[in-house]
């Protein structure tokens, strides 16, 4: 199944990524009496291999392409674009699979964090050799430019998230140009998420930030062990090659190739040996891939979540009573069974858009505000003036209670999910009309809010879930695709960002999320594992959780 990821979590908003796929059945392989675990899988499975155990050379090929907006800081960017970006731009801060911060010495030779008088300062000393491909030194001005483009002070920037950047009061030159001193208003505990990558000062100019990366790469503004070798804008295929201007560890691969293929074509290409990994989209796909000579299945946890989003700006869904009734009519357990059918995997129903059940900060906020109850939904629709018509579909003021559901692509699980939702809502008196759209229409459907209901997901790029609270629920954020919220709730949401202790901040964020979920505009449905079918010997690729292996560490075992 192609994951359709829509909202920014940390740095990314995303679509169609090679990570979630084979989710398994609540019945299969576990027996009818098997109990649902208390948390989703938090395991990683990616064949971790030291750099010196990798052979020099080889090509790594997967399905994927460059999405319309290639700047990961832009609100219209996707996870696919973020991953492509990482192959020819800085990877300065990464996280371990479980979320521990890792500084890349090829970019940051030293990092110091201090708090004095309640004010946090982060001093970033940049590698003396670090330079963009056009020769511009990577220095304090890149950190400053990245901050200015994302802090929300200039509304002309279509920034994915201002969270955290808006708590920085200054970025100044340190002892020399190679040192940036970042000063915060108060303490911002999850600051590493802000500078995991950064922009060339030219790329941070407003027109370039918004438009320069639209269907275009800018390798001259990039940096890293690889750079763009060939970019076919017609086919969408991309080839990365070693970067002669790279000062750090040499990339092990000769080439990194993305081939633009839909999920079915990608499955066949993998079976024919043309791709090095693929994500099986359902149980049948996994069955075809299991046991293929020279391949193996890698499956682990997944910091992904899929939610049903309600466009509160569409006429019927502007009524909160209607949204609540629809959510009460949806049996999330049945949706999960469809997604997990035929695979040996179980997880509890997700209760938050911020945290995952394998994280200590997680709380089941959905259950606190919503109970499955079609009969209750009928009563609420009656009270809201929606009366059953002669055909069973409710009416009010001559208007039918008819809701559109946008189905992207031809994925079998997507079709099955749409069918299940239709069947669940019909007895309550709601007609769900399936509106089909191509995968390639994903960005325009979401960004222009051309939907009533849509299923999409998000991948967390870092473990700081509370940081995403405003991106999901603030009424004044483009990234809040539902359009729900209020200035009063926005104020409560933003107040959580000022809490210096991560545990206390998470607790506050959970409380506010419960209030936000009472707008009944977003309903978490499932997460599932990350499952890959991979050619044997491919190292540092697979279910990595919060970890993003550095490009130079990806390759083939000796």
């Amino acid at each position: 199944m192609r994951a359709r990821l829509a909202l920014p979590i940390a740095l990314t908003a995303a679509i169609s990524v090679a990570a979630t796929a084979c989710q398994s059945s609540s019945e299969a392989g576990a027996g009818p009496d098997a109990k649902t675990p208390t948390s989703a899988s938090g395991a990683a499975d990616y064949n971790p291999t030291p750099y010196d155990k990798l052979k020099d050379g080889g090509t790594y090929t997967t399905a994927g392409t460059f999405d319309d907006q290639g700047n990961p800081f832009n609100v219209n960017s996707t996870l696919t674009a973020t991953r492509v970006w990482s192959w020819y731009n800085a990877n300065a801060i990464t996280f371990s699979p479980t979320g521990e911060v890792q500084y890349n010495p090829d970019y940051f030779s030293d990092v110091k964090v201090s708090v004095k008088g309640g004010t946090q300062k982060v001093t970033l000393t940049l590698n003396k050799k670090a330079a963009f491909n056009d020769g511009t030194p990577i220095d304090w001005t890149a950190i400053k430019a990245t901050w200015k483009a994302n802090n929300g002070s200039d509304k002309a920037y279509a920034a994915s998230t201002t969270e955290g950047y808006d708590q920085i009061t200054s970025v100044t030159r340190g002892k020399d140009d190679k040192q940036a001193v970042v000063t915060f208003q108060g303490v911002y505990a999850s600051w590493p998420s802000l500078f995991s990558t950064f922009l060339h000062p030219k790329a941070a100019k407003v027109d370039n930030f918004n438009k320069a990366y639209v269907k275009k790469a800018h390798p001259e503004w990039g940096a890293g062990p690889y750079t763009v070798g060939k970019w076919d804008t017609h086919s969408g295929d991309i080839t990365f090659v070693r970067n002669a201007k790279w000062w750090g560890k040499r990339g092990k691969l000769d080439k990194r190739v993305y081939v633009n293929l839909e999920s079915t074509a990608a499955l066949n290409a993998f079976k024919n040996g043309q791709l090095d990994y693929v994500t099986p989209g359902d149980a049948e796909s996994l069955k075809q891939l299991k046991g293929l000579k020279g391949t193996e299945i890698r499956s682990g946890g997944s910091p992904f979540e899929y939610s049903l989003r309600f466009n509160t700006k569409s006429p019927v869904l502007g009524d909160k009573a209607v949204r609540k009734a629809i959510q009460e009519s949806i049996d999330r357990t049945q949706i999960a069974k469809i997604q997990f059918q035929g695979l040996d995997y179980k997880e509890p129903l997700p209760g938050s858009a911020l945290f995952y059940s394998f994280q200590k900060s997680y709380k089941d906020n959905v259950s606190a505000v919503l109970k499955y109850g079609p009969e209750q939904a009928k009563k609420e629709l009656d009270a809201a003036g929606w009366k059953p018509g002669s055909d069973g579909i409710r009416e009010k003021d001559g208007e039918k209670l008819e809701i559109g559901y946008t189905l992207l692509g031809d994925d079998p699980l997507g079709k099955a999910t749409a069918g299940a939702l239709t069947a669940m809502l019909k007895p309550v008196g709601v007609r769900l009309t399936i509106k089909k759209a191509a995968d390639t229409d994903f960005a325009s459907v979401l960004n222009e809010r051309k939907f009533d209901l849509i299923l999409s997901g998000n991948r967390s790029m870092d473990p700081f879930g509370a940081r995403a609270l405003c991106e999901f629920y603030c009424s004044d954020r483009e990234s809040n695709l539902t359009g729900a919220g209020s200035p009063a709730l926005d104020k409560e949401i933003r107040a959580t960002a000022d809490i210096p202790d991560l545990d206390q901040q998470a607790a506050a964020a959970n409380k506010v999320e419960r209030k936000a979920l009472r707008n009944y505009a977003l309903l978490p449905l499932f997460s599932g594992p990350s499952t890959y079918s991979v050619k044997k010997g491919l190292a540092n690729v697979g279910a990595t959780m919060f970890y993003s292996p550095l490009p130079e560490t990806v390759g083939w075992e000796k």
Side-chain angles (χ1 to χ4, degrees), residues 222-233:
Y226 294 93
T227 190
V228 178
K230 183 181 179 184
W231 195 299
D232 188 330
T233 53

Side-chain angles (χ1 to χ4, degrees), residues 123-432:
T123 303
L124 302 171
T125 304
L126 289 137
N127 190 311
K128 294 191 184 305
K129 297 178 182 177
F132 293 103
N133 292 334
D134 67 355
T136 302
I138 297 176
D139 61 17
W140 77 279
T141 61
I143 304 299
K144 182 180 181 181
T146 301
W147 162 58
K148 287 221 157 188
N150 290 286
N151 65 13
S153 60
D154 186 344
K155 301 301 181 187
Y157 284 93
S160 172
T161 176
T162 61
E163 221 56 49
Y165 298 105
D166 58 1
Q167 286 187 246
I168 295 172
T169 56
S170 68
V171 175
T172 56
R173 182 179 183 272
K175 63 182 180 181
D176 56 29
D177 283 352
K178 283 288 186 173
Q179 191 173 77
V181 179
V182 184
T183 304
F184 289 81
Q185 180 180 352
V187 176
Y188 191 71
S190 54
W191 75 266
S193 57
L194 307 180
F195 299 109
S196 57
T197 188
F198 35 72
L199 293 163
H200 190 296
K202 287 184 180 176
K205 292 180 178 177
V206 66
D207 284 347
N208 289 336
F209 184 94
N210 292 336
K211 300 174 185 175
Y213 289 95
V214 173
K215 296 185 178 178
K216 192 172 182 182
H218 279 280
E220 75 278 12
W221 296 341
Y226 294 93
T227 190
V228 178
K230 183 181 179 184
W231 195 299
D232 188 330
T233 53
H234 178 70
S235 70
D237 295 354
I238 311 159
T239 299
F240 294 101
V241 297
R242 287 194 187 97
N243 184 4
K245 297 176 180 178
W246 173 237
W247 58 91
K249 276 185 180 177
R250 186 171 183 262
K252 287 290 186 177
L253 296 165
D254 292 325
K255 291 180 182 178
R256 167 65 168 109
V257 181
Y258 284 96
V259 183
N260 187 17
L261 296 172
E262 292 286 349
S263 52
T264 302
L267 188 76
N268 291 327
F270 180 81
K271 287 159 70 176
N272 294 334
Q274 296 166 280
L275 300 181
D276 297 317
Y277 87 61
V278 72
T279 56
D282 50 33
E284 180 56 37
S285 299
L286 184 61
K287 192 186 296 183
Q288 293 180 45
L289 294 169
K290 272 185 174 176
L292 280 180
K293 187 178 179 182
T295 73
E296 60 189 15
I297 301 297
R298 296 178 189 169
S299 186
S302 173
F304 277 80
E305 183 157 87
Y306 297 82
S307 297
L308 189 65
R309 290 181 169 80
F310 294 62
N311 182 1
T312 62
K313 306 304 179 187
S314 65
V316 176
L317 291 179
D319 185 344
K320 185 161 79 170
V322 171
R323 301 196 301 270
K324 184 171 186 278
I326 290 174
Q327 291 197 9
E328 289 172 330
S329 305
I330 293 171
D331 186 348
R332 296 193 296 153
T333 302
Q334 292 303 315
I335 298 297
K337 281 185 178 181
I338 290 169
Q339 296 296 329
F340 304 162
Q341 186 63 44
L343 304 166
D344 188 13
Y345 175 78
K346 281 188 165 192
E347 68 179 18
L349 291 172
S352 171
L354 308 177
F355 301 105
Y356 304 93
S357 56
F358 52 77
Q359 291 182 279
K360 69 174 183 177
S361 300
Y362 170 82
K363 298 291 182 188
D364 185 354
N365 298 323
V366 174
S367 294
V369 304
L370 183 76
K371 298 289 184 286
Y372 170 60
E375 294 306 313
Q376 177 65 21
K378 291 177 185 177
K379 292 175 186 176
E380 288 173 356
L381 288 172
D382 286 339
W386 291 95
K387 306 299 182 184
S390 58
D391 58 357
I393 303 304
R394 293 175 181 268
E395 299 177 8
K396 181 180 179 180
D397 299 332
E399 182 184 4
K400 292 277 190 183
L401 187 44
E402 188 170 281
I403 310 292
Y405 177 86
T406 301
L407 177 62
L408 291 156
D410 60 355
D411 179 77
L413 283 180
K415 290 179 182 177
T417 300
L421 290 169
T422 303
M424 289 172 191
L425 294 177
K426 186 177 178 182
V428 182
V430 180
R431 176 182 286 150
L432 199 64

